[in-house]
Amino acid sequence: MNERTRLFGWILLLVTLAVVPLFLHSARWIDFLEMTLFVAVLGQGWNILAGYGGQYSFGHALFFGTGAYIQALLQVKFGLSPWVAMWFAVSGGALVGAFVGYLSFRYGLRGSYFALITLAFAEAFLVLSRSLKSITEGGQGVQLPLNQDPEQAIATFQFNFAGPFLSEYGFYYTIFIILLLAYGLTAWMERSRFGAQLVAVRENEDAAKALGINAFKVKMGAICLSAGITATCGVYYVQKFLFIEPGIAFGPGKSVEALFAPIIGGLGTVLGPLLGSLFIHGVGEMTKATIGQALGGRPGVDLILFGIILILVLAFLPRGLVGLLEAIWKRLTGGRNA
Amino acid sequence: MLEVCGINKTFGGLKAVTDANLSVSEGKIVSLIGPNGAGKTTLFAVISGFLKSDSGSVIFNGTDITGKPPHWICQQGLVRTFQVVQPFASLTVRENIAVGAHTRIAGRKQALARAADVAKLVDMDGMLEQSAGDLTIAGRKRLELARALATEPKLLLLDEVMAGLNATEIHELLPVIRGIRDSGVTIFLIEHVMQAVMSLSDYTYVLNQGVMIAEGEPKNVTRSPEVIEAYLGHGAAARIAKMAGGNA
């Protein structure tokens, strides 16, 4: 697939995502799309560190939760504007990333050891956020005051009581813009020296070092970028749901969501996390609507199916859905543009 | 250009390298030979910063590089290749070489263009878009060489680039290595293939059980009784003489 076809495909996809909600008037379906894009961004954050850098984190909730809590607490406790708080939230997430990265990479932790240390930090933050009641409000979580004044909708970054367009589509286009930024950043990275060096470290760290790459510095850059993007998801989450509590913020749920989409979609590709997220959410909804209904509306059927899909993808599609698409494209064009 | 003074390296109780001294002068091809387990690769790893020596110093172009990290040493112009080739398997040949080129070149396009130029030097210009994981062992050895060259080194440390190649492939690689030297890169190599050592090197060091036992022009070194003993076993020369005496 050459550059031009690829670019055309991207434009087509992004334009579709930009206009599709305008044809949907059911809040449920717009919500569905919002969550799809949300997980696509969350997945891209993880993908930068794991897919491109080969450092498999199992605790990305750490960065998501840090971003979310900073965003919520700065507003509730210090009365900061959400538009100011978000810079602290994103840099706070990146800072926690730098801290965990420094500890792990300084001592050369790789593979499952790195996965375990990220999980351990996420769990530690989960416990801390529950027990430090004077700062985090403990297990009951932090609730943002609801703004009911349409005039203040943009200033408070709350669109529930805004005008007709914003209340319906405000959060969809918020996450869409975040997606554009995160994916643009990833695409830029892929074509830069930093990206090439990051992939070299993933492929073979010793060889990379021998070729003049400061592997520690490159990995630090990757974890900060990855954590920053993930923290942005935390900011979005808090503004949309106006609530955060320890389990949602630092529990394993978000860590798993973050890695599920890129693994199914295709590790180390820009498109992978988005494709994976569309697939997961699409299949999830379909399962709930068909098999779930047939079994009497029992929850959890989609989760069972996800388990099966994950096993199948790992067994037969090591390069994920992106790899599958490329193979199909190659066959359709007879390998001419491959 | 490279001065190695009194390097000692032990792994637990094992003395891998003991008081090793050597020097490599600019524009030459110098080789390091010795039986398996003599400590050659360990010495290379110490010079290139992958291992820290217990004592001794490594001076490169007047700069003390002892104990400095490998990437820094590479940026100074001293680069090594690996005995067990380490390609970036899921990248293409061109992308592999470009990683080396990025050490001096920031732009992606320029680095990829430079990679194509370097590939020509090792006769790989026909395989640019091939995946590195699909290369034959000879191809991987060449790729290892090309990647190192792309970092624009002043001194190239080659760890057994000939190992695992057949006679034809060795024959093809010899002029490539000479060409690299002629382009102004000093070469220091570990080699088991004696044909390569004899025809390439200007000067040879022999390491045995971590101790430097001989040095000199390759022709003279291979005649040295100490060197023969090192390869055939301790006291081999004496036993051979005794057996010859008994049969007479």
Side-chain angles (χ1 to χ4, degrees), chain A residues 26-336:
Chain A
S26 137
R28 186 168 165 264
W29 280 106
I30 293 170
D31 247 19
F32 162 78
L33 277 182
E34 275 175 28
M35 282 302 107
T36 304
L37 297 197
F38 168 78
V39 169
V41 178
L42 200 66
Q44 193 66 280
W46 185 86
N47 188 35
I48 286 176
L49 184 63
Y52 288 95
Q55 313 299 316
Y56 294 94
S57 154
F58 201 70
H60 251 54
L62 176 62
F63 313 128
F64 170 82
T66 305
Y69 260 102
I70 293 179
Q71 178 75 8
L73 289 173
L74 284 183
Q75 288 180 72
V76 172
K77 303 243 167 181
F78 298 96
L80 248 60
S81 149
W83 299 98
V84 176
M86 65 187 247
W87 300 104
F88 288 98
V90 172
S91 24
L95 213 64
V96 171
F99 174 69
V100 174
Y102 183 82
L103 282 183
S104 325
F105 302 144
R106 180 75 186 74
Y107 297 103
L109 292 185
R110 300 183 196 178
S112 41
Y113 296 99
F114 178 72
L116 281 177
I117 198 150
T118 50
L119 176 64
F121 268 104
E123 290 296 310
F125 271 55
L126 174 63
V127 173
L128 281 178
S129 60
R130 275 198 182 124
S131 51
L132 292 176
K133 286 200 174 97
S134 59
I135 305 172
T136 63
E137 310 285 331
Q140 68 179 38
V142 187
Q143 181 99 42
L144 254 58
L146 183 66
N147 165 58
Q148 301 193 13
D149 177 5
E151 300 281 306
Q152 295 290 313
I154 289 180
T156 54
F157 204 157
Q158 293 185 21
F159 302 138
N160 314 37
F161 291 89
F165 181 82
L166 264 189
S167 61
E168 206 172 349
Y169 300 116
F171 278 113
Y172 178 81
Y173 285 106
T174 307
I175 193 67
F176 183 65
I177 288 168
I178 295 175
L179 180 118
L180 286 182
L181 290 174
Y183 279 57
L185 204 61
T186 313
W188 163 82
M189 188 193 82
E190 203 180 58
R191 284 159 183 72
S192 73
R193 163 153 82 173
F194 170 69
Q197 295 188 330
L198 185 61
V199 169
V201 167
R202 171 192 79 196
E203 292 288 306
N204 191 320
E205 196 167 330
D206 276 339
K209 284 179 181 168
L211 294 174
I213 296 173
N214 186 342
F216 175 72
K217 207 169 126 188
V218 168
K219 285 193 278 186
M220 283 300 281
I223 198 171
C224 289
L225 190 61
S226 167
I229 290 177
T230 311
T232 312
C233 291
V235 170
Y236 172 80
Y237 189 93
V238 164
Q239 292 309 133
K240 178 165 166 65
F241 295 104
L242 303 175
F243 174 70
I244 192 75
E245 57 96 18
I248 295 172
F250 297 111
K254 287 286 175 294
S255 296
V256 173
E257 263 185 278
L259 60 84
F260 204 38
I263 289 179
I264 291 201
L267 283 170
T269 59
V270 183
L271 183 61
L274 178 57
L275 217 54
S277 181
L278 282 170
F279 182 79
I280 294 167
H281 286 86
V283 170
E285 283 302 310
M286 276 197 304
T287 326
K288 274 189 232 166
T290 55
I291 306 174
Q293 285 297 320
L295 293 176
R298 287 197 185 87
V301 179
D302 51 331
L303 297 180
I304 297 171
L305 195 71
F306 284 160
I308 297 170
I309 289 171
L310 188 61
I311 293 170
L312 289 177
V313 167
L314 291 179
F316 299 109
L317 292 175
R319 292 180 56 238
L321 294 174
V322 170
L324 182 69
L325 272 188
E326 276 176 2
I328 293 172
W329 178 263
K330 216 172 187 175
R331 184 163 293 182
L332 284 179
T333 59
R336 274 176 292 123

Side-chain angles (χ1 to χ4, degrees), chain A residues 190-193 196-197 199-200 202-204 206-215, chain B residues 50 70-71 74-75 79 82 86 88-91 99 102-103 105-106 108 147-148 151:
Chain A
E190 203 180 58
R191 284 159 183 72
S192 73
R193 163 153 82 173
Q197 295 188 330
V199 169
R202 171 192 79 196
E203 292 288 306
N204 191 320
D206 276 339
K209 284 179 181 168
L211 294 174
I213 296 173
N214 186 342
Chain B
F50 276 87
H71 65 88
C74 171
Q75 286 160 10
V79 65
F82 290 89
Q86 316 264 2
F88 304 129
S90 74
L91 306 186
V99 170
H102 269 309
T103 299
I105 303 169
R108 186 76 184 136
R147 260 185 351 195
T151 67

